[in-house]
Amino acid sequence: MGGRVPLLLHACCGPCSLEPVRLLREEGFEPTILWTNPNIQPLSEHDRRLSTLTTWAREAAQVDVIMAGDDRAAWERVAGPAGFDRRRRCRACYALRLAELCRVAVERGFTHVSTTLVVSPYQLFDDCGEILARLAVAHDLTAVWRDFRSYYPCATQRARELGMYRQCYCGCRFSAAEAALERHEARDERKRSKAAARAEA
């Protein structure tokens, strides 16, 4: 580790871990990845993302992965009732996963914590940061909060080059439905634009 500061990094998937691990190492941290994502549905999707992450961590990044609690019943209890109220659902989801991050950090002797959730421009950046900061203080930990969103295109390109599986929705069944609707609306808009361009020609 060469004097680096140990940091427990919650990871939501492999592609979103690429840039945070690299950048945190450049800052002088040595990340250990924590997997706790009971939101990901169905289980086959959960397992595929986990397999992608652990393969990359072992073979390319040389970063350790800790498997923490994946309490799916707790997710259904605290986040599920919010349904398509995205902000309420995501805040509950963040809180559940980041609380587990902090619990394991204390248990394993880490003093610094962070998350890969903030790579994606589709996440609720400010909400996630506020929740992580609050939980870190409550557990006497230091939250390492960085805005990784500008690196999202780099992460996407690197993931393609590495042949990594990339998901098309955040994780839960509600986000899957929302993403499908957004793709449908975008497709319809492209069709309308093409039709208008032909009409003007």
Side-chain angles (χ1 to χ4, degrees), residues 8-21 32-42 44-54 56-57 65-67 70 72 75 93-94 97-98 101 114-124 128 148 152 155 164-172 175:
L8 192 60
L9 177 67
H10 165 258
C12 55
C13 66
C16 284
S17 302
L18 294 170
E19 292 301 298
V21 166
T32 293
I33 287 175
L34 182 85
W35 175 269
T36 174
N37 296 295
N39 57 309
I40 300 175
Q41 301 164 340
S44 57
E45 176 72 17
H46 172 280
D47 294 347
R48 187 174 186 185
R49 295 189 198 187
L50 175 57
S51 176
T52 298
L53 172 67
T54 55
W56 166 77
V65 178
I66 295 173
M67 306 292 295
D70 258 340
R72 302 178 80 80
W75 191 92
C93 184
Y94 295 154
R97 292 188 281 169
L98 297 177
L101 167 72
S114 189
T115 179
T116 68
L117 285 168
V118 290
V119 172
S120 171
Y122 303 106
Q123 298 293 337
L124 306 181
C128 189
F148 294 125
Y152 182 75
M164 298 175 83
Y165 167 65
R166 292 181 59 248
Q167 61 274 9
C168 60
Y169 64 100
C170 177
C172 74
S175 70

Side-chain angles (χ1 to χ4, degrees), residues 156-182:
T156 300
Q157 181 61 33
R158 284 187 63 200
R160 288 197 185 103
E161 291 169 356
L162 292 168
M164 298 175 83
Y165 167 65
R166 292 181 59 248
Q167 61 274 9
C168 60
Y169 64 100
C170 177
C172 74
R173 61 187 180 278
F174 302 106
S175 70
E178 289 163 349
L181 179 60
E182 289 169 5

Side-chain angles (χ1 to χ4, degrees), residues 23-201:
L23 293 164
L24 288 166
R25 280 176 167 165
E26 287 181 359
E27 277 194 54
F29 294 101
E30 183 54 40
T32 293
I33 287 175
L34 182 85
W35 175 269
T36 174
N37 296 295
N39 57 309
I40 300 175
Q41 301 164 340
L43 276 173
S44 57
E45 176 72 17
H46 172 280
D47 294 347
R48 187 174 186 185
R49 295 189 198 187
L50 175 57
S51 176
T52 298
L53 172 67
T54 55
T55 298
W56 166 77
R58 180 180 64 251
E59 297 179 359
Q62 287 81 54
V63 59
D64 293 332
V65 178
I66 295 173
M67 306 292 295
D70 258 340
D71 192 339
R72 302 178 80 80
W75 191 92
E76 291 295 343
R77 187 169 61 252
V78 303
F84 290 101
D85 182 342
R86 186 181 174 220
R87 184 162 186 246
R88 186 162 70 93
R89 181 186 79 235
C90 291
R91 284 183 62 87
C93 184
Y94 295 154
L96 181 68
R97 292 188 281 169
L98 297 177
E100 180 69 358
L101 167 72
C102 291
R103 184 193 70 78
V104 175
V106 171
E107 182 182 86
R108 299 291 186 105
F110 288 88
T111 57
H112 292 70
V113 290
S114 189
T115 179
T116 68
L117 285 168
V118 290
V119 172
S120 171
Y122 303 106
Q123 298 293 337
L124 306 181
F125 181 82
D126 292 333
D127 292 87
C128 189
E130 175 238 307
I131 291 167
L132 179 61
R134 172 171 50 81
L135 288 167
V137 168
H139 289 83
D140 197 24
L141 298 165
T142 299
V144 177
W145 186 247
R146 303 289 184 268
D147 189 349
F148 294 125
R149 290 174 295 179
S150 64
Y151 294 93
Y152 182 75
C154 297
T156 300
Q157 181 61 33
R158 284 187 63 200
R160 288 197 185 103
E161 291 169 356
L162 292 168
M164 298 175 83
Y165 167 65
R166 292 181 59 248
Q167 61 274 9
C168 60
Y169 64 100
C170 177
C172 74
R173 61 187 180 278
F174 302 106
S175 70
E178 289 163 349
L181 179 60
E182 289 169 5
R183 289 193 298 273
H184 181 79
E185 290 174 344
R187 184 191 64 194
D188 287 350
E189 180 58 32
R190 287 194 298 271
K191 287 181 178 178
R192 284 192 293 270
S193 296
K194 288 179 181 178
R198 286 196 297 269
E200 293 174 1

